[in-house]
Amino acid sequence: MPITDIDLTSLSIDERLRLIERLWDSIEQSAAAANSEAAKVLSTWSAMDEDFVAELERDADEAEKDPDSTTSWESLLVELKHK
């Protein structure tokens, strides 16, 4: 199924976060099976600054607890286009 056919907004925030986890797990599995593209992604991610990764995780936790405290991607795009 093409990704564009999936209405991600029909999923709850929790379902979307679980989907992200499953996708990431699948990348790890591919890397373990010697997929060079997946290994490169994992290498890039693991090379990120630990403080930055911790901040991303805190932001994700906050968004999960209070989805209304976040800005939608669509709203962010509109805001950036007007700058």
Side-chain angles (χ1 to χ4, degrees), residues 14-50:
D14 184 58
E15 289 169 327
R16 287 183 244 175
L17 291 171
R18 285 186 291 157
L19 177 59
I20 291 168
E21 288 178 39
R22 290 187 63 195
L23 290 168
W24 188 253
D25 290 346
S26 72
I27 293 170
E28 289 177 331
Q29 291 168 358
S30 293
N35 179 301
S36 62
E37 184 180 7
K40 183 178 177 181
V41 168
L42 290 180
S43 173
T44 300
W45 181 260
S46 64
M48 288 183 151
D49 180 80
E50 288 181 24

Side-chain angles (χ1 to χ4, degrees), residues 71-83:
T71 302
S72 72
W73 178 243
E74 294 80 11
S75 296
L76 181 59
L77 281 176
V78 167
E79 182 180 332
L80 290 173
K81 287 178 182 179
H82 285 94
K83 287 192 174 196

Side-chain angles (χ1 to χ4, degrees), residues 12-13 23 46 56-57 59-60 65 76 82:
S12 69
I13 298 298
L23 290 168
S46 64
L56 289 175
E57 290 174 348
D59 288 349
K65 291 176 189 169
L76 181 59
H82 285 94

